[in-house]
Amino acid sequence: MKTTIKEIGKHVEQSVTIGGWLANKRSSGKIAFLQLRDGTGFIQGVVVKAEVGEETFKLAKELTQESSVYVTGIVRADDRAPSGFELTVTGIELIHEAVDYPITPKEHGTEFLMDHRHLWLRSKRQHAIMRIRNEIIRATYEFFNEQGFVKVDPPILTGSSAEGTTNLFHTKYFDEDAYLSQSGQLYMEAAAMALGKVFSFGPTFRAEKSKTRRHLIEFWMIEPEMAFMDHEESLQVQENYVSSIIQSVLKNCEQELKALERDTAKLEAIKAPFPRISYDDAISFLQEKGYEIEWGEDFGAPHETAIAEAHDKPVFITNYPKDIKAFYMKPHPERDDVVLCADLIAPEGYGEIIGGSQRIDDAELLKERYDEHNLSEDAYGWYLDLRRYGSVPHSGFGLGLERTVAWISGTEHVRETIPFPRLLNRLYP
Ligand SMILES: NC(=O)C[C@H]([NH3+])C(=O)NS(=O)(=O)OC[C@H]1O[C@@H](n2cnc3c(N)ncnc32)[C@H](O)[C@@H]1O
Ligand SMILES: [Mg+2]
């Protein structure tokens, strides 16, 4: 019967057929070991000449890397195998021969692999990362559906910008100027006024000329927005959400984490609540550590890493100066120089995975911010309406999917956490 590698454990000592590709192989004299993959996992097929005969053994010996095949065999339980099973091959049917597959089992440079991303995706490591990405996405929908959030899809083509105008992708919308969305937030606030608790999940775009291991030009963001929730209540949603996806990955991606040699002990300990440190205290901490940083400056990667290293869980840095944060953030009730916001900094040097805040809910104050930031009512009048008609306290945040995948999977660079990364000077494939 036809099955998949993921399901093969249900057929021990039975004859099955899998469709897949040859990932690698080794052979000696009268026995060949085929490393097979079928998209659901990897398994070894053992081909014994005396059992399969001359013709099938010759086919096995001549199979080339990434040729597609149907392989039939008896499923054997084998504790030594990563999947716990092995296939004693009884038959092979070649579907299509791959000639000179470029990504051979030897080491390859990053640019070579990036130029062949459409093929590199097939490797065991990329397979593991993509399955962890999938689990984080699945667990995200599970968490927010269980919490009573409604999925709402903000537009990708917009006439406004939430995160400033320095990294917008301009495009034409017929005769009008338009931008690719940097963040769905402003629209999510409108949705929250209609549906209470909402979340989006989609691509966002930042024309940032940053060449770091944390920056993509196109990345995916989960953006929950919650009417009647204040800043601290939003932090509780964030820490519960992040804890939940970590537990889901630990539970459902054991083989993938093992394939990536991820130290899961560091993840198992991560449960809500997460520590909070104010921006003020973070500045003092860094200055005591000898960092040259003054109050009012934003943190760079080394600062975030130093702050994260002082904690064994993700840490919220709260209440940044108003002047280094976005126009929509609500001022602190006791201070007008800082705002009710927080960045969540992941451990192990993975940096900021969440940016969030309580939003201004007063029309006059928001109008003042429009004037300060030169925002036109033509483009932002609708956003002001949310404060003119039944305004309420509300908060929200954005979690960067790729940075979160990088952290949980222990992957150095975000380029491996998205199927087709868009980086500075990288639009291919
Ligand atoms: N609904 C909201 O309140 C979200 C808010 N408008 C927002 O966009 N915040 S953010 O700019 O900090 O971006 C949020 C997160 O989005 C991720 N992010 C932000 N920029 C990037 C780039 N360039 N590459 C990869 N990931 C990125 C990172 O994890 C940030 O913490
Ligand atoms: Mg941010």
Side-chain angles (χ1 to χ4, degrees), residues 286-321:
L286 291 168
Q287 288 171 340
E288 283 155 24
K289 286 274 182 189
Y291 287 89
E292 299 269 319
I293 185 166
E294 296 305 320
W295 195 96
E297 292 178 36
D298 206 350
F299 299 125
H303 303 129
E304 290 176 347
T305 300
I307 292 162
E309 282 171 350
H311 301 84
D312 58 0
K313 295 183 183 178
V315 53
F316 288 111
I317 305 176
T318 63
N319 305 341
Y320 284 68

Side-chain angles (χ1 to χ4, degrees), residues 162-163 167 182-186 188 200 204-206 208 210 214-225 325-326 328-329 342-344 351-357 359 395-404 414:
E163 297 305 319
N167 60 19
Q182 296 165 310
S183 159
Q185 176 194 322
L186 307 191
M188 297 311 289
S200 69
T204 46
F205 307 85
R206 311 249 171 129
E208 289 181 289
S210 306
R214 298 171 175 170
H215 282 84
L216 291 159
I217 306 296
E218 173 184 319
F219 63 96
W220 288 64
M221 199 160 32
I222 290 95
E223 296 193 80
E225 195 70 30
K325 283 296 185 183
Y328 51 74
M329 294 188 183
D343 282 1
L344 184 62
E352 177 197 334
I353 58 171
I354 290 181
S357 62
R359 317 333 183 158
S395 303
F397 61 94
L399 173 130
L401 176 65
E402 287 76 22
R403 291 188 185 179
T404 305
V414 284

Side-chain angles (χ1 to χ4, degrees), residues 35-151:
Q35 300 308 317
L36 301 164
R37 64 178 195 84
D38 71 346
T40 70
F42 293 76
I43 195 167
Q44 177 164 273
V46 181
V47 190
V48 178
K49 185 174 181 180
E51 291 174 10
V52 300
E54 190 66 39
E55 191 184 341
T56 301
F57 192 71
K58 182 171 180 293
L59 176 55
K61 294 267 282 187
E62 291 169 356
L63 266 186
T64 52
Q65 185 186 356
E66 284 303 315
S67 289
S68 46
V69 288
Y70 287 115
V71 175
T72 301
I74 308 295
V75 181
R76 308 284 189 208
D78 184 334
D79 293 343
R80 296 164 303 172
S83 65
F85 304 97
E86 202 173 67
L87 205 58
T88 302
V89 174
T90 56
I92 303 173
E93 178 191 338
L94 176 64
I95 301 170
H96 180 258
E97 185 184 24
V99 179
D100 299 336
Y101 182 73
I103 307 183
T104 57
K106 77 173 181 60
E107 277 301 304
H108 295 278
T110 300
E111 282 313 297
F112 174 86
L113 290 170
M114 292 292 281
D115 287 340
H116 295 84
R117 180 63 177 170
H118 51 296
L119 300 175
W120 182 26
L121 266 181
R122 302 182 183 192
S123 75
K124 192 169 277 190
R125 178 178 163 77
Q126 300 311 311
H127 175 271
I129 296 170
M130 289 300 122
R131 287 209 166 250
I132 288 171
R133 178 186 172 106
N134 175 68
E135 176 56 23
I136 292 171
I137 294 167
R138 187 205 64 77
T140 292
Y141 277 86
E142 183 177 69
F143 177 83
F144 286 109
N145 283 322
E146 281 175 357
Q147 297 288 321
F149 283 66
V150 177
K151 174 77 165 40

